[in-house]
Amino acid sequence: MKERQASFLGGTLLLTGTGLLGQVLGFLYRIFLSRLVGAEVMGLYQLVLPVQSVLLSVTAIGLTAAVSNLSSEYRALGQEGIMGAVLRRCLAVFIGLFGVAAVVVGLGSDAISVYLLGDARTRLALLVLLPCLLLTGVENLHKHYFYGGGTVGLPAAVEVLEQFIRTGAVLGLLVLFLPQNEERTVGLIALGMTICEVFSACTLVLSYRRRTAAVPRVSAPPGLGRRIASIALPVGATAVLGNLMG
């Protein structure tokens, strides 16, 4: 019991420290970014981010909660094979939802940028952020698999490195390719964000495969889909509502 309490406390402190470090790095990143691109481009960038948040809410946030909760439960029961089944099922659902969202955004990017966001110069960034959204969803599902399985250090380290890579990728692209018009500049920012997500998603996917290489693959237990839905739907709906109101 004492070992579990110590492990829980250590994980909590690590996540808290990682979160604080991430906030500091993000704050410095936004300062350098705003000085490099100016207020107008930052305004366009801030218009695009809520769309990404809404799409993540629709496609991934509820599923990440399901992965974390169910992975923790099956780990406590010693059924690591079913943890993998949970992750695979949630990945399949996420990819299906992402496919629908990508079609809607791709076909409606003109209307979304002009009528919803109020500025046609956001269209390029909307399209560039689609692969970023896919990678972010894959990353978060694997990250919460590790959290649910009691592994905190790896996803925490990836999260910190992601902040550094995003800063270097975005600012590096801007330094190399500026000056550009406002639409292309926002597109460069979105491209830099996508590059950092490639690192995070690939690292966590490879780590998951290495960890589970010796774990026998098992089929999903009966009723797993309903259990995932019972967690994912309320969490996702709450997140969507909050983002739409925002």
Side-chain angles (χ1 to χ4, degrees):
M1 180 64 70
K2 290 183 178 180
E3 291 182 359
R4 289 186 178 181
Q5 291 177 343
S7 176
F8 176 79
L9 179 59
T12 302
L13 292 175
L14 180 59
L15 287 177
T16 301
T18 302
L20 290 173
L21 179 59
Q23 291 294 326
V24 172
L25 293 174
F27 176 70
L28 295 174
Y29 162 74
R30 287 189 293 272
I31 290 176
F32 287 117
L33 181 62
S34 63
R35 291 184 177 181
L36 192 59
V37 301
E40 186 173 5
V41 171
M42 285 299 294
L44 295 173
Y45 172 61
Q46 294 297 329
L47 284 175
V48 174
L49 288 183
V51 177
Q52 184 188 31
S53 297
V54 169
L55 292 176
L56 279 174
S57 300
V58 171
T59 59
I61 288 181
L63 293 172
T64 60
V67 169
S68 180
N69 289 349
L70 294 176
S71 293
S72 178
E73 176 183 331
Y74 286 118
R75 173 178 177 262
L77 295 173
Q79 298 175 323
E80 190 168 348
I82 300 181
M83 291 169 59
V86 171
L87 178 60
R88 291 192 298 272
R89 180 69 62 85
C90 289
L91 277 170
V93 174
F94 164 72
I95 291 173
L97 292 173
F98 168 78
V100 174
V103 170
V104 171
V105 174
L107 296 178
S109 58
D110 283 329
I112 293 172
S113 60
V114 174
Y115 298 111
L116 182 61
L117 301 183
D119 198 311
R121 293 174 294 177
T122 59
R123 179 178 180 272
L124 177 61
L126 285 174
L127 296 176
V128 175
L129 279 176
L130 287 177
C132 182
L133 173 66
L134 174 62
L135 293 166
T136 301
V138 172
E139 172 207 346
N140 285 337
L141 288 170
H142 283 82
K143 184 185 296 182
H144 282 78
Y145 168 88
F146 283 109
Y147 286 153
T151 302
V152 177
L154 173 65
V158 169
E159 191 168 337
V160 172
L161 289 173
E162 180 184 325
Q163 294 276 355
F164 284 105
I165 293 172
R166 182 182 64 179
T167 301
V170 172
L171 299 183
L173 286 172
L174 293 173
V175 169
L176 284 174
F177 295 106
L178 285 182
Q180 298 283 343
N181 60 42
E182 291 84 359
E183 181 178 11
R184 291 182 179 179
T185 302
V186 181
L188 285 173
I189 296 173
L191 179 59
M193 293 170 61
T194 303
I195 290 172
C196 85
E197 291 298 336
V198 170
F199 159 78
S200 301
C202 289
T203 301
L204 289 172
V205 169
L206 292 174
S207 299
Y208 163 76
R209 291 185 176 180
R210 187 178 299 114
R211 171 174 173 162
T212 59
V215 177
R217 188 185 181 105
V218 300
S219 301
L224 180 62
R226 289 193 299 272
R227 297 200 64 195
I228 291 173
S230 68
I231 299 171
L233 288 177
V235 174
T238 301
V240 170
L241 181 60
N243 279 293
L244 288 176
M245 292 177 66

